[in-house]
Amino acid sequence: MNTAAVRPLVAADLDEVVEINRQIMGRPRRAFFDKRLTSALKDPGHHIQVGADTEGEVSGYLLARIIEGEFGRGSAVILEDIGVAQEHDHHGVGNSLLAGLDEVMRQKGLDTIQTNAAWTAHDLLRFFDHQGFSMAPRHIVECDTALANQTTNDFVDDDDTNSRNGSGGLARDRVYVRLMYDTDAAAIGAIDRALTGTDRSAYLNRAVDEALNDSSVRVSLVAEIDGFVCGFIMARVDFGDFGQTDPVAVIDTIGVKPDQGHHGIGAALLSQLLMNLSGLHIEHVRTEISRENFDLLAFLYTHGFAPSDQLALERRRSD
């Protein structure tokens, strides 16, 4: 078994990381890794990017980020991607990379690693099982963007007045929805405080920045009534997630002002998001939610979401 020296990834590692992933995927994803490495260097406090060196060359990489509250989840590390060069496969490089991640988590006082993988990714699931991962208490749900033009009665809140009156049209036609800008951060923070009862300004400001700058395409949206932001949906588009061959949009969080509930705002945000993604030839949008978040799960299922083929996994930090 080779001995792999683990260290932080640096910008100069980009070419070797892209080549390792090309070996695994069959095509290069340079733009994806360029954005990830750039984000890590810009905000090292919320990204963990580990490399393994074997005999003087990069033999593996691991990309992770720290979350602090998407859909009510506590602080944890999201393992986004891990890869080992073919010539170093089955030599313990993956073990070394996860041990390196554990060490960084220990220094940061973090205990939980979360990730996901398709149930058909047998080799990856076998690796995660060997590393002590198990099924997490969360659901991954997914929606086909072709539902963007679903009829009103299927795509509005249950007690939406216009729906009861049979006015027709799509949810997004009754609520003004536009792209999110960085100037919306304060309004989004106010809605979040009203919903959660806590001030998560630091997290939300960073989330807005990531939604606008770290995603391959800007797709995050806000809804307005009378010129004031009344709801938002943060989403991103990446070519990531362990062998994903086609782009999939991921919803990180959605919120509507409590006093504006049941006016079709959430439905309008989802409807517009699906339409925009469909126009970009992105066929699916996915999100991950605690299994106890019954209201949000019911809302998403009502609006076309269904269980994904992705499994939610997690494990405690190995000490």
Side-chain angles (χ1 to χ4, degrees):
M1 179 179 292
N2 293 341
T3 300
V6 176
R7 60 168 175 79
L9 284 174
V10 297
D13 296 321
L14 178 61
D15 289 342
E16 290 173 283
V17 169
V18 171
E19 172 56 23
I20 292 171
N21 185 256
R22 187 200 63 76
Q23 295 173 7
I24 298 168
M25 296 284 294
R27 61 177 177 81
R29 296 192 299 161
R30 188 178 186 86
F32 169 78
F33 288 103
D34 192 14
K35 275 187 173 289
R36 283 295 184 268
L37 290 171
T38 300
S39 297
L41 295 173
K42 182 177 69 173
D43 185 13
H46 293 92
H47 291 266
I48 303 172
Q49 310 220 5
V50 177
D53 287 339
T54 303
E55 299 176 352
E57 63 180 16
V58 177
S59 55
Y61 67 86
L62 181 152
L63 309 182
R65 63 186 176 91
I66 299 170
I67 62 166
E68 297 175 349
E70 286 91 331
F71 284 138
R73 293 153 69 182
S75 296
V77 170
I78 300 295
L79 175 57
E80 295 185 305
D81 205 350
I82 185 171
V84 175
Q86 289 178 349
E87 62 268 31
H88 297 289
D89 204 10
H90 304 296
H91 289 84
V93 176
N95 297 349
S96 297
L97 289 166
L98 277 174
L101 176 60
D102 283 331
E103 178 56 33
V104 175
M105 291 175 61
R106 189 176 300 110
Q107 294 171 8
K108 293 179 176 289
L110 298 166
D111 297 321
T112 304
I113 306 172
Q114 300 176 354
T115 192
N116 61 273
W119 70 272
T120 53
H122 305 302
D123 289 343
L124 184 61
L125 289 172
R126 192 177 300 111
F127 170 75
F128 283 143
D129 180 46
H130 178 72
Q131 293 295 327
F133 283 82
S134 59
M135 293 291 292
R138 299 184 306 282
H139 293 301
I140 301 176
V141 294
E142 189 170 294
C143 182
D144 190 328
T145 60
L147 293 177
N149 294 316
Q150 189 168 315
T151 59
T152 295
N153 289 338
D154 292 328
F155 224 110
V156 296
D157 292 336
D158 289 341
D159 55 356
D160 181 272
T161 302
N162 290 328
S163 178
R164 292 198 306 269
N165 293 337
S167 63
L170 294 166
R172 62 178 180 266
D173 296 330
R174 296 194 302 276
V175 178
Y176 176 58
V177 177
R178 61 168 173 80
L179 286 174
M180 181 184 294
Y181 299 107
D182 54 4
T183 52
D184 296 317
I188 291 170
I191 293 172
D192 185 75
R193 282 193 299 275
L195 291 170
T196 66
T198 59
D199 185 353
R200 302 192 301 166
S201 299
Y203 154 67
L204 288 166
N205 287 337
R206 188 172 62 258
V208 170
D209 180 69
E210 289 177 353
L212 298 182
N213 299 313
D214 289 351
S215 180
S216 301
V217 183
R218 290 191 178 190
V219 292
S220 295
L221 305 169
V222 298
E224 287 186 357
I225 291 180
D226 297 328
F228 294 95
V229 174
C230 57
F232 63 91
I233 186 166
M234 291 186 189
R236 51 193 163 85
V237 179
D238 282 319
F239 292 82
D241 292 345
F242 296 120
Q244 184 70 48
T245 56
D246 297 309
V248 173
V250 179
I251 297 174
D252 287 325
T253 188
I254 183 172
V256 175
K257 288 183 67 176
D259 61 355
Q260 297 288 342
H262 307 299
H263 286 76
I265 295 168
L269 286 162
L270 275 177
S271 177
Q272 187 67 52
L273 177 66
L274 294 182
M275 187 184 76
N276 293 355
L277 293 172
S278 180
L280 294 168
H281 304 291
I282 297 165
E283 297 181 354
H284 302 284
V285 60
R286 177 187 303 153
T287 194
E288 188 171 339
I289 305 167
S290 168
R291 66 188 180 193
E292 287 85 19
N293 199 336
F294 302 119
D295 290 342
L296 183 56
L297 283 168
F299 171 78
L300 292 172
Y301 279 125
T302 297
H303 293 83
F305 281 76
S308 170
D309 68 351
Q310 298 284 312
L311 302 177
L313 307 170
E314 70 178 26
R315 79 161 170 83
R316 301 287 289 179
R317 184 188 72 216
S318 176
D319 293 323

